[in-house]
Amino acid sequence: MNSSNYKFWFVVGSQTLYGQEVLDTVDSRGREMAQKMTQSGNLPWVLEYKGTVKSNDEIYDIVKQANNTPECAGIVTWMHTFSPSKMWINGLVSLQKPYCHFATQYNRQIPNEEIDMDFMNLNQSAHGDREHGFIAARLRSKRKVIAGYWEDEDVQIRLGNWMRSAVGACFSKDVRVMRFGDNMRQVAVTEGDKVEAQIKLGWQVNTWPVGELVEHINNVTPQQLDDLMAEYSEKYEFNTDNIDAVKYQAKCEIAIKQMLERENCAAFSNTFEDLHGMDQLPGLATQRLLGEGYGYGGEGDWKIGALTAVMKAMANGLNGGTGFMEDYTYDLAKGNELSLGAHMLEVCPSFASDKPKIEVHHLGIGGKNPPARLVFEGKPGNAIVVTLVDMGGRFRLICHDVECVKPIYEMPNLPVARLMWKATPDLLTGAEAWIIAGGAHHTVLSYDLNAEHMEDLAEILGIEFVHISKETNIANLKNQLFLNDLAWKLQL
């Protein structure tokens, strides 16, 4: 499903004890709150009021509807009055969608002159939310709890951030990855349990022959090619006379996209060690597809390909940039240590600080002709780099806070797209922490998302989360990883 089509259901809890007049008021307020929050501009998706539930049957029915409605990305519950939590058991046990408990109340302040027992009976969210919180804790339900006044911008932004994580989890369940060949030979971190990935994350990961891609490349029509070349001329600066190389990349883009659309795949991977029948390793073609929202993993890294697609879905409507990345080399000037991120070719143009250039240069690996690619510098800004690794029995999601900076060197002989960043708490501690946690060299870099997005995603999906931040120190991290290892082994 297109990530822009999702909705969230706002379900308000009450009971029949208070009479129809109270229930009518609750219904009216619930509808008003959902509408105003949606219209605030702080929620990335619609919050749709689905009713005030008052019994076990009503709750169970609405959960069944949510489970069976593809466009429902999650439910947001709030207890306007006291909703006895035993009536929520069947519903919460059967819930298969992301779940947020929104602990708020309709009125901001206690009205000194108006408050009486009728007011108390109607406005007892502090009472009702604690009852609701208990049963979710008792059931060990995966949930996000957000407390605050519903009209406050910061509270709405937190709810909107959780929505992005919930959409990522829902989108994840339908992700299909098209692999062209296997992963790079002898590499460990790009391996992984594809069956477990489908069980846990929903990812369907399968292989298509490179020969079939070659057939599609050879069948691109002159009109298709001319149309795409015209788009290239409009969007990019040509810094090459080798137009044939650029045309070949255009054919690759068209062909790969045709296969992805035919198989309903959200991501793909390939490797320079399996290019039989191809003229070039797809560079510009892959960058373009990343820019359109597809996920990609280099050297056959299907985990990062799928994660890129999921994070792009989470970042829907934002324009900072999210895409495939790799730590390449460090600048270790004392006190100003920086990491250089790049890849052979496949860096998403959403990172570009200026209009990218199309260039054609020799590639020292793969044994094919020089490929066309987009060359640009990344833009400055706060970001995260995220990876997913298979720890044997479980997946671990590692997130590192970084600050992208304008590259401090021109690097005229490095004809690839590149970014530079400062790591937290500093490069050396961050690198040690990343290595100790088993972090891969392939990552997804995002200017749009933050660690809370990723932590919520990991919790919804039921996978381990490790966060490297300005607060990280190595001793505490080692202790956390040790305890995590014990806890996850107990869950198996």
Side-chain angles (χ1 to χ4, degrees):
M1 172 179 287
N2 187 318
S3 61
S4 63
N5 296 331
Y6 286 112
K7 291 183 178 180
F8 288 82
W9 289 7
F10 190 41
V11 182
V12 181
S14 189
Q15 60 176 313
T16 58
L17 178 66
Y18 307 110
Q20 191 58 46
E21 184 178 350
V22 166
L23 292 174
D24 289 344
T25 301
V26 172
D27 178 79
S28 174
R29 289 178 174 180
R31 195 179 308 277
E32 175 194 348
M33 291 167 66
Q35 184 179 45
K36 285 186 175 180
M37 284 190 284
T38 297
Q39 293 173 346
S40 70
N42 295 320
L43 303 186
W45 285 275
V46 170
L47 182 63
E48 182 177 319
Y49 176 67
K50 295 301 289 187
T52 298
V53 291
K54 307 169 290 296
S55 68
N56 179 86
D57 289 343
E58 288 181 358
I59 295 165
Y60 185 61
D61 286 345
I62 208 164
V63 166
K64 285 195 299 182
Q65 292 175 39
N67 289 341
N68 294 319
T69 303
E71 61 267 23
C72 175
I75 68 167
V76 178
T77 63
W78 168 54
M79 306 302 112
H80 190 306
T81 59
F82 186 75
S83 182
S85 64
K86 285 176 66 177
M87 71 172 63
W88 285 85
I89 291 174
N90 290 357
L92 292 180
V93 166
S94 61
L95 181 62
Q96 298 170 7
K97 294 294 179 79
Y99 159 38
C100 176
H101 178 184
F102 191 25
T104 188
Q105 63 183 32
Y106 181 75
N107 56 297
R108 183 185 291 274
Q109 294 177 287
I110 295 172
N112 181 50
E113 298 295 330
E114 298 174 28
I115 190 167
D116 55 19
M117 285 311 301
D118 288 337
F119 182 95
M120 294 279 279
N121 284 334
L122 174 61
N123 299 280
Q124 52 177 302
S125 296
H127 184 190
D129 279 326
R130 280 160 172 74
E131 170 76 355
H132 188 64
F134 163 75
I135 201 60
R138 175 68 176 81
L139 295 172
R140 275 66 171 177
S141 297
K142 296 174 185 174
R143 57 180 170 152
K144 176 74 170 182
V145 178
I146 297 175
Y149 187 56
W150 63 277
E151 288 194 285
D152 285 345
E153 182 180 32
D154 59 335
V155 175
Q156 293 174 359
I157 288 173
R158 285 196 69 204
L159 180 58
N161 286 344
W162 173 81
M163 284 181 167
R164 293 193 179 278
S165 303
V167 161
C170 290
F171 185 86
S172 177
K173 297 301 182 182
D174 292 321
V175 164
R176 299 179 183 181
V177 181
M178 179 174 287
R179 301 175 74 207
F180 293 111
D182 204 350
N183 66 309
M184 182 180 171
R185 300 179 193 114
Q186 304 300 328
V187 176
V189 77
T190 54
E191 295 281 7
D193 187 336
K194 293 188 287 293
V195 173
E196 184 65 16
Q198 187 165 348
I199 293 169
K200 200 74 177 175
L201 308 173
W203 300 349
Q204 300 178 51
V205 184
N206 292 295
T207 302
W208 276 260
V210 176
E212 184 178 353
L213 175 58
V214 172
E215 289 178 0
H216 279 266
I217 291 171
N218 292 336
N219 289 330
V220 171
T221 69
Q223 187 62 57
Q224 288 174 315
L225 182 58
D226 289 345
D227 290 344
L228 191 52
M229 288 294 291
E231 185 176 336
Y232 289 176
S233 296
E234 180 182 344
K235 289 189 173 181
Y236 313 116
E237 178 183 340
F238 276 69
N239 195 29
T240 180
D241 294 326
N242 191 347
I243 302 303
D244 286 342
V246 181
K247 287 183 176 180
Y248 186 79
Q249 289 290 327
K251 289 181 179 181
C252 288
E253 178 185 340
I254 293 166
I256 295 171
K257 188 174 182 179
Q258 285 175 341
M259 293 184 67
L260 293 172
E261 289 179 342
R262 185 192 72 197
E263 302 297 333
N264 195 27
C265 289
F268 69 103
S269 66
N270 59 10
T271 170
F272 61 86
E273 292 178 327
D274 192 350
L275 297 173
H276 185 70
M278 298 188 70
D279 183 70
Q280 302 173 28
L281 174 65
L284 171 61
T286 299
Q287 291 175 290
R288 288 269 305 168
L289 290 165
L290 276 162
E292 291 183 27
Y294 288 99
Y296 173 76
E299 291 111 49
D301 196 341
W302 54 268
K303 297 191 301 300
I304 291 299
L307 182 62
T308 307
V310 169
M311 290 178 63
K312 280 181 172 288
M314 292 168 63
N316 180 71
L318 303 176
N319 57 13
T322 297
F324 173 67
M325 184 47 58
E326 178 175 303
D327 289 72
Y328 247 91
T329 190
Y330 301 136
D331 195 82
L332 296 178
K334 196 77 171 176
N336 191 36
E337 294 88 350
L338 297 171
S339 182
L340 174 64
H343 206 252
M344 295 182 295
L345 303 169
E346 308 95 343
V347 178
C348 184
S350 65
F351 296 150
S353 62
D354 206 345
K355 190 174 186 178
K357 298 178 181 178
I358 295 180
E359 300 186 7
V360 178
H361 297 275
H362 172 70
L363 188 65
I365 58 176
K368 298 296 179 178
N369 288 325
R373 79 291 301 269
L374 294 175
V375 177
F376 56 83
E377 284 189 352
K379 53 197 170 188
N382 292 327
I384 55 173
V385 288
V386 185
T387 196
L388 183 77
V389 293
D390 187 336
M391 296 302 294
R394 72 183 187 275
F395 290 104
R396 173 180 286 169
L397 189 70
I398 306 170
C399 176
H400 193 175
D401 297 338
V402 302
E403 180 191 354
C404 292
V405 299
K406 177 178 172 56
I408 62 173
Y409 303 113
E410 291 185 6
M411 296 174 275
N413 295 313
L414 183 66
V416 297
R418 61 268 188 163
L419 289 74
M420 294 192 82
W421 61 80
K422 296 179 181 179
T424 57
D426 58 76
L427 177 63
L428 302 184
T429 304
E432 288 180 19
W434 188 270
I435 291 168
I436 290 168
H441 57 289
H442 289 159
T443 64
V444 185
L445 185 143
S446 179
Y447 293 88
D448 296 316
L449 305 175
N450 59 42
E452 186 176 10
H453 290 116
M454 305 316 301
E455 183 175 14
D456 287 344
L457 176 68
E459 184 170 1
I460 294 168
L461 293 175
I463 60 176
E464 183 184 4
F465 178 73
V466 175
H467 182 203
I468 301 171
S469 71
K470 64 181 181 180
E471 308 298 334
T472 295
N473 70 67
I474 298 302
N476 288 348
L477 177 67
K478 286 181 176 179
N479 188 53
Q480 177 197 347
L481 294 174
F482 173 73
L483 295 175
N484 284 5
D485 200 39
L486 292 178
W488 283 92
K489 285 177 179 177
L490 289 173
Q491 294 181 39
L492 297 177

